[in-house]
Amino acid sequence: MGCYDCCMRCLGGVPYCSLVATLLCFSGIALFCGCGHQALTETERLIETYFARNLQDYRTLAYIIQYFQYVIYGLASFFFLYCIVLLAEGFYTTSVAKQTFGEFRSTMCGRCLSSSFIVMTYLLAVLWLLVFAFSALPVYFFYNMDATCHTIDVLTETPASINQLCVDARQYGLLPWDAVPGKACGMTLSNVCKTREYRITYDLYVAAFAGAGITLLALLTYTVSTTYNFAVLRYLGRKGIGARC
């Protein structure tokens, strides 16, 4: 067998769908975890500087932010390992289907593993859909804040109207209702929107939201891939070439 034929047989055993899903998952998780972690840190700094004067007012928020940052560490580790396992399962199933690396057999153990991966990946996709929706909340908050600042910039010639335009962090549950000042109005709010910290935080949340969407797309791709792999293994088992492990 020539080198070209050998290369073609090797490339034929690559699970391209699982490989694309793995690359999407890695990039999505990197965006979500990296940008989300830094965005939470910047949010705490913004709240501390412009919306709360007393440490007691945002102490609970600081604890929640720290908790979510630890969760992000766990998510990054888990998805890295899980994507590697799914990619390995894709290589195994592709080799079984195409018999690239010898006379592989579809085993009962292989079919059980594939069905388990289908259920796990489907549940992860459903749970991650909730994470995707949750990651839209800070983007919504900063979008409203940016729209209010734009309105203030348009109405700079009428100061009375400007002072009535506010963003209240207490309405979004970021601070308790007795927090002082708890909100930013008028030119104070406009100056907040022009700061470097605000722009960076807004961009980081948008990037984290995009990363969550990419990860969701990767999980859906994995679901399709693992379902197809299971169908292939079951088909091979029905042909009578299955064996118990």
Side-chain angles (χ1 to χ4, degrees), residues 177-220:
W177 283 106
D178 57 351
V180 178
K183 63 180 180 179
C185 302
M187 293 307 300
T188 302
L189 178 60
S190 179
N191 292 332
V192 173
C193 293
K194 293 176 182 177
T195 60
R196 179 176 175 270
E197 293 82 1
Y198 169 80
R199 301 310 310 179
I200 290 178
T201 307
Y202 190 10
D203 293 339
L204 286 172
Y205 275 122
V206 171
F209 177 70
I214 294 173
T215 305
L216 179 61
L217 177 62
L219 289 174
L220 294 176

Side-chain angles (χ1 to χ4, degrees), residues 199-238:
R199 301 310 310 179
I200 290 178
T201 307
Y202 190 10
D203 293 339
L204 286 172
Y205 275 122
V206 171
F209 177 70
I214 294 173
T215 305
L216 179 61
L217 177 62
L219 289 174
L220 294 176
T221 306
Y222 272 132
T223 303
V224 174
S225 175
T226 52
T227 304
Y228 173 78
N229 292 343
F230 175 76
V232 169
L233 289 177
R234 193 166 184 178
Y235 171 76
L236 293 177
R238 286 181 175 178

Side-chain angles (χ1 to χ4, degrees), residues 47-91:
I47 295 295
E48 177 185 0
T49 305
Y50 300 104
F51 291 93
R53 297 172 184 170
N54 191 351
L55 176 63
Q56 300 295 329
D57 292 338
Y58 65 90
R59 174 171 291 181
T60 302
L61 177 64
Y63 286 145
I64 294 175
I65 287 176
Q66 187 178 18
Y67 171 77
F68 276 114
Q69 287 176 334
Y70 285 128
V71 171
I72 284 175
Y73 297 147
L75 282 175
S77 303
F78 170 79
F79 272 97
F80 176 78
L81 295 176
Y82 189 70
C83 289
I84 293 296
V85 171
L86 285 180
L87 182 61
E89 192 267 346
F91 270 103

Side-chain angles (χ1 to χ4, degrees), residues 91-114:
F91 270 103
Y92 166 75
T93 310
T94 304
S95 299
V96 171
K98 298 184 178 180
Q99 297 181 352
T100 305
F101 303 107
E103 295 297 328
F104 279 30
R105 301 298 185 187
S106 171
T107 64
M108 182 66 70
C109 181
R111 293 195 293 274
C112 290
L113 284 176
S114 293

Side-chain angles (χ1 to χ4, degrees), residues 112-170:
C112 290
L113 284 176
S114 293
S115 60
S116 299
F117 283 132
I118 291 174
V119 174
M120 289 180 60
T121 307
Y122 178 79
L123 292 177
L124 277 176
V126 173
L127 291 175
W128 197 260
L129 183 62
L130 299 178
V131 175
F132 178 65
F134 180 77
S135 64
L137 296 179
V139 177
Y140 174 74
F141 170 76
F142 278 91
Y143 173 79
N144 285 341
M145 189 171 175
D146 192 66
T148 305
C149 290
H150 178 71
T151 304
I152 292 174
D153 292 337
V154 173
L155 300 176
T156 52
E157 297 181 357
T158 55
S161 301
I162 291 177
N163 292 330
Q164 296 177 0
L165 297 175
C166 303
V167 169
D168 196 336
R170 298 169 295 186

